Amino acid sequence: MAIDRKQVEEIVRAVGGKENIEAATHCVTRLRFALYDESKVDTEGLDQNDLVKGQFSSQGQFQVVIGPGLVDKVYDEMIQITGGDRASKDDVKAAAGKKQNPIQRAIKTLSDIFIPILPAIITAGLLLGINNILTGPGIFFDEQSLVDVYPAWKDLASIINTIASTAFTFLPALIGWAAVKRFGGSPLLGIVLGLILVHPDLLSAYSYANAVNEGTVPTWNLFGWHIEKIGYQGQVLPVLVSAYLLAKIEIFLNKRVHDSVKLLVVAPVTLLVTGFLAFTIIGPVTFAIANAITSGLIYIYESYAALGGLIYGGLYALLVITGMHHTFLAVDVQLIGSQGGTFLWPMLALSNIAQGSAALAMMLVLREQKMRGLAATSSVSAFLGVTEPAIFGVNIRYRYPFIFGMVGSAIGGVLLTMNNVQATSIGVGGVPGFLSIFPNKWGVFFIGMAIVLIVPFVLTVIFGRAKLRKQDRSTNAEAVTGSKTTAVSASNTAVSGEEAAAAERTRTNAQVGDEPVNTLEVMAPLTGTAVPLEQVPDPAFAEKQMGEGVAIEPSGNQVVAPFDAQVAHVIKSKHAVILEHASGLQILIHVGINTVSLKGEGFNMHVEAGEHVRAGQTLLEFDRNVIEAAGHPLITPIIIPDGQDMVDRVEVTTGDVSSNRNGILTVHLKG
């Protein structure tokens, strides 16, 4: 497809001109800019550009969605127009990072550390919730738990509790692994460091308060220097600071110790020095700081409960937009470790539901079928604890549903804090969040859930419909006066010679040999579970800015051809491939989210551009452990890119994909 140079020039102008571009690169679907000043971006101009499928800013990068198979051509043309140098994704990321202030960098660091270990923490939270149901008194029977009435269930509950509590018991090991990796050291040493801090020979941090009161805190005597012999179970700051020090010492030694003795010097010295400092200085100091922070939060919570609930409950959705919500994961973990429960997580769960309710209400407000579908599916995702599709795909776009979601969440937050509703663990947010709540507070939590379901929904519907009626009156007035609305309608009904030629090309393209193809069944290129695109944690896919499709949560590690095809394009980083059917239809298979940053690590491509493949033939393989360790979601979008004239409509099939014979997309072709 030829690129209109003027449209590319308009993209450059819309991002503030070439003088506003510090660095630019592209991935398989979008242009990625590090801009000197994002306030200069003309978002309306980008929206009106036919090449642009969407736009958003994330972590200091301004991203313009173009679509697969086209973005590289747009990028090449843009480089010619601007005269700039080609940049790698790391160049753009580094340039974007320089514009972040220290607070933003700190937030990103915490995010990079906690997101990779989040699946383990959430799993533990869900299992603890099941244990709460089995052992909580008063849920099924008056003043008795299920295991009290049915003792045969007691040992099952005990096993579940053991499995569930492991992630929290050895939390410093998980944090040590993720933190040391983030700071550039050996993840294995990070695990060992975390285990050192919770060694069974140490007094458990959970028993420290009682030991202080009883005067039985054990100590080491280092030549007259008495050091408390305590562990750091449930603590965050001690292992974070120690992990940073460990990584820096290891990097320092690796640069200076000869290769022949590295194995004997680097790891032992690094662990010995870091461990000694952790027990003598870092641990005691950060332990005191963490306890002071916790005490401060508890004081605010106990003294100004309603105000705290109003602020945190109301503004949590804003924290999601900025990315600052990841910071509070550390606070939740600290509160659970030191106090046995967190009052922040219940408000998070209600905020999820509130944004989902506002998005669901937009189904009754919006008229465009595509957006109504997005509103419905993204609301379900939010009800299950993943709000990004609802927030970025629907609520922020129209603003008022986002605001009404915050209003409902603020009211729910006040209710929860005034009634001392806490969570025993961090689990899944949204509706399943009740599993993490202390069972004796379920009644209050369910009332809060009703509030965040009803208030945002009703306010959004009332305001949205009033706004539509106002727009209708305005449109009717323009029609009477012969405004541009009429002209646009007339121009839309005209069929140009160029469009007629395009229609003729469509009829030609939608044939394989001499046989016309009316529909094309796209089989699953991976095994797993097929889910709607709205559940993909990336707005470019979730908002269908590139086209219709489906996503698969893979259970395996192999991608195969969904039909006989020619390989149209292989992405250099090996995480994505574009296939072209004999009818001319193209399909994009994109393994994981942001996996372009791995630069091919963990991927093994088996085909080349121009090669013909048969249905079921292996296209690429990927290493799940490498991708998950890097903190990237494995969910894989399969997209029918926009702009293909032969496509009439696309039907999506979701659910279990047990084999590559399962159909996930039915593409109806024109002609």
Side-chain angles (χ1 to χ4, degrees):
M1 176 180 175
I3 299 298
D4 187 340
R5 185 182 179 89
K6 290 184 179 179
Q7 290 181 319
V8 181
E9 290 174 345
E10 283 300 310
I11 292 176
V12 174
R13 184 201 62 77
V15 297
K18 62 181 181 181
E19 62 277 0
N20 194 39
I21 301 174
E22 183 176 0
T25 186
H26 73 91
C27 59
V28 65
T29 58
R30 66 200 80 170
L31 300 172
R32 296 172 179 255
F33 294 97
L35 302 176
Y36 289 108
D37 185 359
E38 283 195 12
S39 66
K40 294 182 178 180
V41 174
D42 178 6
T43 56
E44 291 185 3
L46 287 172
D47 284 338
Q48 294 170 5
N49 194 308
D50 291 339
L51 288 176
V52 177
K53 304 295 190 299
Q55 56 183 293
F56 59 94
S57 180
S58 176
Q59 297 182 346
Q61 294 183 35
F62 189 81
Q63 303 184 31
V64 179
V65 181
I66 302 297
L70 195 60
V71 65
D72 50 346
K73 298 176 183 178
V74 173
Y75 180 74
D76 291 340
E77 191 71 34
M78 185 184 71
I79 292 298
Q80 292 182 18
I81 292 170
T82 61
D85 296 326
R86 292 178 178 272
S88 68
K89 295 169 185 65
D90 286 340
D91 293 334
V92 173
K93 187 181 293 185
K98 289 188 296 184
K99 297 197 292 295
Q100 294 180 318
N101 59 46
I103 294 177
Q104 290 174 318
R105 288 196 292 271
I107 290 170
K108 185 179 184 304
T109 299
L110 281 176
S111 172
D112 291 342
I113 292 171
F114 278 92
I115 286 180
I117 66 174
L118 200 54
I121 297 175
I122 288 177
T123 299
L126 284 173
L127 292 175
L128 284 174
I130 296 173
N131 181 68
N132 287 343
I133 294 175
L134 295 174
T135 60
I139 298 177
F140 302 104
F141 307 98
D142 291 339
E143 299 182 358
Q144 285 186 302
S145 68
L146 188 67
V147 297
D148 290 333
V149 177
Y150 300 103
W153 289 78
K154 189 171 185 178
D155 287 339
L156 174 63
S158 177
I159 292 174
I160 293 174
N161 184 61
T162 300
I163 297 171
S165 60
T166 297
F168 290 104
T169 301
F170 297 102
L171 183 64
L174 297 178
I175 296 176
W177 166 77
V180 171
K181 182 178 180 181
R182 170 61 179 80
F183 296 135
S186 168
L188 180 61
L189 293 184
I191 295 174
V192 176
L193 172 65
L195 293 175
I196 288 172
L197 295 178
V198 293
H199 196 283
D201 284 351
L202 305 171
L203 172 69
S204 172
Y206 302 127
S207 305
Y208 179 71
N210 290 335
V212 170
N213 293 332
E214 297 170 0
T216 58
V217 178
T219 60
W220 284 298
N221 185 350
L222 297 180
F223 309 103
W225 183 13
H226 292 274
I227 301 167
E228 291 184 333
K229 190 178 178 182
I230 62 172
Y232 295 97
Q233 289 85 355
Q235 298 294 309
V236 174
L237 278 180
V239 68
L240 279 179
V241 176
S242 299
Y244 177 81
L245 179 65
L246 181 144
K248 296 308 173 185
I249 292 175
E250 183 189 8
I251 293 170
F252 176 84
L253 292 176
N254 268 324
K255 290 180 179 178
R256 290 163 177 81
V257 175
H258 194 273
D259 289 345
S260 61
V261 292
K262 272 187 178 180
L263 186 63
L264 300 175
V265 174
V266 175
V269 171
T270 298
L271 277 175
L272 182 62
V273 173
T274 306
F276 182 83
L277 291 175
F279 286 124
T280 58
I281 299 174
I282 296 173
V285 171
T286 54
F287 189 59
I289 292 173
N291 285 335
I293 293 172
T294 302
S295 298
L297 286 170
I298 296 297
Y299 172 77
I300 294 172
Y301 174 64
E302 292 178 346
S303 303
Y304 310 99
L307 180 62
L310 183 72
I311 294 174
Y312 188 77
L315 299 183
Y316 181 79
L318 277 178
L319 297 178
V320 173
I321 293 176
T322 62
M324 290 180 64
H325 63 303
H326 296 304
T327 307
F328 287 89
L329 287 172
V331 180
D332 276 312
V333 170
Q334 179 68 35
L335 286 170
I336 292 169
S338 58
Q339 301 296 317
T342 171
F343 50 85
L344 298 177
W345 189 265
M347 289 185 278
L348 172 150
L350 291 195
S351 178
N352 295 158
I353 299 171
Q355 290 299 322
S357 177
L360 183 64
M362 293 301 287
M363 271 194 66
L364 304 180
V365 175
L366 297 170
R367 291 170 175 169
E368 184 186 353
Q369 192 65 32
K370 180 178 178 180
M371 285 304 301
R372 291 179 67 185
L374 177 59
T377 52
S378 65
S379 67
V380 173
S381 175
F383 290 149
L384 296 177
V386 181
T387 55
E388 280 81 359
I391 289 177
F392 292 106
V394 180
N395 295 353
I396 282 293
R397 179 177 296 188
Y398 297 98
R399 293 185 179 86
Y400 63 89
F402 180 73
I403 294 171
F404 292 141
M406 290 196 297
V407 170
S409 181
I411 298 172
V414 171
L415 175 72
L416 296 189
T417 52
M418 290 187 68
N419 287 276
N420 193 29
V421 177
Q422 296 192 36
T424 59
S425 61
I426 300 174
V428 175
V431 175
F434 79 92
L435 291 172
S436 300
I437 307 300
F438 281 97
N440 63 331
K441 295 294 183 180
W442 278 5
V444 178
F445 186 77
F446 287 143
I447 294 173
M449 194 181 293
I451 290 172
V452 296
L453 279 169
I454 296 170
V455 172
F457 188 90
V458 172
L459 292 178
T460 300
V461 170
I462 292 174
F463 183 87
R465 287 186 170 176
K467 189 173 182 180
L468 277 181
R469 286 193 294 270
K470 183 177 179 180
Q471 290 174 347
D472 288 342
R473 288 194 295 268
S474 175
T475 301
N476 290 337
E478 286 184 356
V480 170
T481 58
S483 67
K484 64 178 182 180
T485 304
T486 306
V488 170
S489 298
S491 65
N492 285 340
T493 59
V495 179
S496 66
E498 182 181 352
E499 289 170 326
E504 182 61 35
R505 288 195 301 272
T506 296
R507 285 189 289 273
T508 303
N509 287 339
Q511 292 188 18
V512 179
D514 295 327
E515 296 296 324
V517 177
N518 296 320
T519 60
L520 174 61
E521 188 79 5
V522 179
M523 301 301 174
L526 306 94
T527 57
T529 303
V531 298
L533 278 182
E534 290 80 5
Q535 294 188 24
V536 178
D538 184 313
F541 293 112
E543 296 176 17
K544 301 183 181 179
Q545 295 174 358
M546 290 172 290
E548 290 286 347
V550 70
I552 293 179
E553 290 279 8
S555 58
N557 67 334
Q558 193 176 70
V559 178
V560 303
F563 45 66
D564 294 349
Q566 182 178 17
V567 180
H569 190 54
V570 172
I571 309 307
K572 291 181 181 178
S573 47
K574 303 177 184 178
H575 70 289
V577 61
I578 299 174
L579 302 179
E580 183 171 321
H581 186 257
S583 65
L585 178 79
Q586 290 193 340
I587 184 171
L588 163 69
I589 305 172
H590 189 290
V591 179
I593 303 302
N594 288 327
T595 42
V596 63
S597 62
L598 293 176
K599 300 179 180 178
E601 182 184 0
F603 292 93
N604 183 20
M605 186 66 69
H606 291 275
V607 296
E608 298 179 352
E611 183 177 339
H612 289 273
V613 294
R614 305 288 293 178
Q617 181 177 334
T618 300
L619 302 175
L620 67 93
E621 293 177 298
F622 55 90
D623 189 326
R624 300 173 62 93
N625 295 329
V626 170
I627 299 172
E628 290 173 340
H632 300 305
L634 274 168
I635 189 168
T636 298
I638 296 95
I639 304 293
I640 307 296
D642 280 341
Q644 302 189 69
D645 293 337
M646 75 284 295
V647 178
D648 181 24
R649 68 184 190 280
V650 179
E651 295 178 2
V652 176
T653 302
T654 58
D656 179 59
V657 181
S658 57
S659 77
N660 300 115
R661 291 188 295 274
N662 291 104
I664 53 171
L665 295 172
T666 301
V667 185
H668 295 268
L669 305 176
K670 298 176 183 177

